[in-house]
Amino acid sequence: MEKKLMQTYLYDFYGDLLNEHQRSVYEDFVLNDFSLSEIAEMKGISRQGVHDLIKRCDRTLKGYEEKLHLLERFLKMREQILRIRTLTEEYQVKDRAEVMAEITAISDEILEEL
């Protein structure tokens, strides 16, 4: 997965666990697409300080994901739902019993995860 997209997902899931300063800098970098120099100037810190803070936030957010697996579960469930959507679109063309069996199997997987 693309690095910026992964950072965005991790921030969406775990960003509230960062302190206010970390959130502000990380949002400016990841969500607002400011450069390290721009953030450094706005926050009154060095460019290296911004770089180090971003790296620490990345490690922290990845650590939360390694422990909690919320993003992994979300992505898996999203994939399953997209598969169900595809099956429903194919319902008129394919064998209905086969489609329903696959939808049931995917639904069971989702329910087990919950």
Side-chain angles (χ1 to χ4, degrees):
M1 184 179 294
E2 180 186 323
K3 183 177 180 177
K4 278 283 192 186
L5 181 58
M6 180 58 82
Q7 287 175 312
T8 301
Y9 273 138
L10 289 171
Y11 182 78
D12 285 346
F13 278 87
Y14 305 111
D16 287 341
L17 300 173
L18 300 173
N19 67 43
E20 187 176 332
H21 178 67
Q22 290 171 323
R23 276 195 312 273
S24 175
V25 170
Y26 203 77
E27 279 180 12
D28 284 343
F29 183 72
V30 174
L31 303 179
N32 300 328
D33 205 27
F34 290 138
S35 70
L36 297 177
S37 299
E38 290 172 319
I39 297 168
E41 186 176 320
M42 289 186 305
K43 303 294 182 187
I45 56 179
S46 70
R47 184 187 177 286
Q48 185 63 45
V50 173
H51 178 267
D52 292 345
L53 181 62
I54 300 292
K55 291 294 179 190
R56 275 195 311 276
C57 289
D58 280 338
R59 279 194 306 272
T60 299
L61 296 174
K62 286 177 186 174
Y64 291 138
E65 176 58 17
E66 287 171 8
K67 291 176 181 134
L68 301 172
H69 305 284
L70 297 177
L71 177 56
E72 178 185 327
R73 289 182 194 145
F74 167 78
L75 292 173
K76 182 179 178 184
M77 193 172 297
R78 183 176 183 268
E79 182 181 308
Q80 290 169 319
I81 291 168
L82 289 172
R83 180 68 184 134
I84 289 172
R85 175 184 274 170
T86 301
L87 288 168
T88 58
E89 291 169 359
E90 297 171 353
Y91 185 72
Q92 299 298 323
V93 181
K94 283 187 162 184
D95 176 33
R96 291 181 180 186
E98 181 183 325
V99 170
M100 291 308 296
E102 193 167 346
I103 289 173
T104 301
I106 294 169
S107 300
D108 288 345
E109 285 179 34
I110 292 171
L111 290 171
E112 284 179 27
E113 288 291 320
L114 299 176

